[in-house]
Each structure stands twice: as C-alpha cells, then as structure tokens.
C-alpha cells in the first residue's frame, strides 16, 4: 500500500484555512463516494492542487469472489482506505476532498470519512447505476447534502439528468450533473455545484429550526 504525500487530512467544514489571515477564509470537507470503479480516485486526482494521497492495492485472485468487477474488468487497482486531495476554489475557499473506498467490505470506514463533512459527491456510472444506490441511501439517511455526478465513460450510453434522478429515486431538488472525472474543469464544476447546493440546504434547515 502506498501512502503518498498529503497535508493534514483531519479537517472539518468549519476549520479555518491557516494559509490566510483573512477571517473569512474557509476550509470545507467534501466526501467523494460511489460504487466500485465509478471514478472517485480519478476525480480527486484530477482536481487536487496537491499531490493526492492514494491508498490503492492491486486487485488479486483472492478478491475475485468478493469484488464485483462486471463492467470494469480492466480495473487493476482498488482504494482500500481513502483518497485525499485539496483544491482552492477561489481566495478564501479551500475544499478538502475525502474519497471513499467502493467495495462493500470497506464500508466501516465511511462514518469516519464523513464526519464533519459539509456535503458529498456521489459518482455514478450509468453502466452500473445500481452500484451507487447504497451511497445515495447513506447520505440521505444522515441528511448530508449530496450531488450525483454522472461520470460519462467513453462508449457508455448517455442519459438525461432527469432520467438518472428518476432511476435513483432521488429526493426532489437533489442535483444531477454530467461530468468527466478525468477533466479538472469538469470536476471543479461538480464541486462548485456541490458547495452551492449544500449552502442552500444548510441555510434552509437553519431557517426551519428558528421558524
């Protein structure tokens, strides 16, 4: 297992950004989740301003009866703990990205990775859409705002956002966006949409609590 360089990965969405003296600086924690092979490691690596931390292991024969690789037969490695990256959206706003492992046997790590998160991105692969059902349920039950990002793999059939929303039975208003996890600008747009949506959700909940 290779643990590549990363800065302090233990931040919450209320933590200050120590790179600035400005009191308005913010550091927000975003979880990147989804099914096995959906593109979580790729997305974190594509957008990160720093060399991302990766905890990948080569898929072995021992895991063939445990890990479902249908549809991702060319995938040779898998995240076994987490991915970590950092991106500065603009002066005063930095996002710390925590990618979850995709296999069911590593789900015990999700609670730790999601603690203190402002929001989440659920990556979806339309060839294996059912693989992200569990992630959708996880964040809905914990009331963590999330955006579904459909990773448009080459050769995969393209579906409209409302079709994906219907297939996943998402709560009304949950954003669905199309993206290319390999492209930095595309990934950055997903993160901006996620922060904006989470901001609206948290504001609405705050108003409800005082109303």
């Amino acid at each position: 297992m290779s643990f590549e360089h990363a800065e302090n990965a233990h931040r919450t969405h209320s933590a200050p950004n120590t790179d600035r003296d400005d009191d308005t600086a913010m550091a927000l924690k975003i979880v990147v989740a989804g099914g096995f092979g959906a593109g979580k490691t790729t997305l974190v690596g594509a957008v990160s301003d720093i060399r991302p931390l990766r905890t990948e292991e080569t898929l072995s024969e021992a895991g063939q009866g445990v890990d479902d690789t249908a549809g991702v037969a060319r995938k040779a490695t898998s995240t076994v703990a987490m991915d970590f990256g950092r991106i500065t959206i603009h002066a005063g706003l930095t996002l710390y990205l925590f990618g979850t492992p995709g296999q069911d046997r590593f789900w015990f790590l999700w609670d730790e990775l999601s603690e203190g998160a402002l929001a989440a991105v659920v990556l979806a692969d339309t060839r294996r859409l059912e693989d992200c059902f569990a992630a959708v349920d996880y964040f809905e039950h914990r009331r963590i705002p999330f955006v579904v990002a459909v990773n448009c793999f080459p050769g995969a059939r393209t579906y409209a956002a409302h079709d994906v929303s219907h297939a996943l039975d998402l709560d009304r208003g949950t954003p669905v966006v199309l993206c290319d996890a390999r492209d930095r600008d595309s990934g950055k747009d997903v993160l901006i949409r996620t922060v904006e949506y989470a901001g609206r959700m948290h504001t609405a909940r705050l108003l409800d609590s005082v109303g």
Side-chain angles (χ1 to χ4, degrees), residues 89-117:
I89 299 297
H90 56 67
L93 177 58
T94 298
L95 304 183
Y96 289 87
L97 310 176
F98 291 75
T100 67
Q103 297 116 305
D104 293 349
R105 55 197 167 110
F106 296 120
W107 267 69
F108 65 91
L109 296 169
W110 281 49
D111 287 344
E112 179 72 19
L113 294 176
S114 299
E115 183 177 358

Side-chain angles (χ1 to χ4, degrees), residues 37 70-72 124-130 151 153-157 159:
V72 287
D125 177 353
T126 57
R127 300 168 303 177
R128 295 159 51 103
L129 194 59
E130 67 280 1
N151 192 6
F153 287 89
R157 182 177 174 182
Y159 294 88

Side-chain angles (χ1 to χ4, degrees), residues 1-184:
M1 179 184 298
S2 61
F3 286 81
E4 299 180 2
H5 171 73
E7 295 185 1
N8 183 3
H10 215 48
R11 305 289 183 100
T12 67
H13 67 258
S14 60
N17 182 346
T18 55
D19 293 336
R20 287 171 52 93
D21 294 328
D22 189 342
D23 289 339
T24 63
M26 298 181 65
L28 308 177
K29 180 178 181 180
I30 304 293
V31 176
V32 180
F36 179 56
K40 301 179 292 297
T41 298
T42 300
L43 177 66
V44 172
V47 302
S48 182
D49 294 330
I50 62 173
R51 187 180 181 187
L53 178 151
R54 294 190 175 102
T55 59
E56 289 192 306
E57 288 282 6
T58 301
L59 293 175
S60 65
E61 293 183 4
Q64 288 181 355
V66 180
D67 301 324
D68 179 12
T69 59
V72 287
R74 296 177 60 184
K75 186 172 174 60
T77 62
S78 176
T79 298
V80 296
M82 60 174 281
D83 298 309
F84 173 76
R86 185 193 71 190
I87 178 174
T88 298
I89 299 297
H90 56 67
L93 177 58
T94 298
L95 304 183
Y96 289 87
L97 310 176
F98 291 75
T100 67
Q103 297 116 305
D104 293 349
R105 55 197 167 110
F106 296 120
W107 267 69
F108 65 91
L109 296 169
W110 281 49
D111 287 344
E112 179 72 19
L113 294 176
S114 299
E115 183 177 358
L118 172 79
V121 174
V122 175
L123 274 170
D125 177 353
T126 57
R127 300 168 303 177
R128 295 159 51 103
L129 194 59
E130 67 280 1
D131 287 3
C132 68
F133 286 171
V136 168
D137 288 342
Y138 181 90
F139 294 116
E140 283 183 345
H141 290 161
R142 288 159 180 78
R143 303 189 71 217
I144 298 175
F146 66 93
V147 166
V148 173
V150 179
N151 192 6
C152 299
F153 287 89
R157 182 177 174 182
T158 300
Y159 294 88
H162 69 272
D163 291 330
V164 175
S165 179
H166 179 72
L168 294 177
D169 193 24
L170 298 177
D171 290 342
R172 185 174 182 179
T174 302
V176 176
V177 297
L178 306 182
C179 75
D180 182 344
R182 303 166 299 178
D183 183 77
R184 175 179 169 84

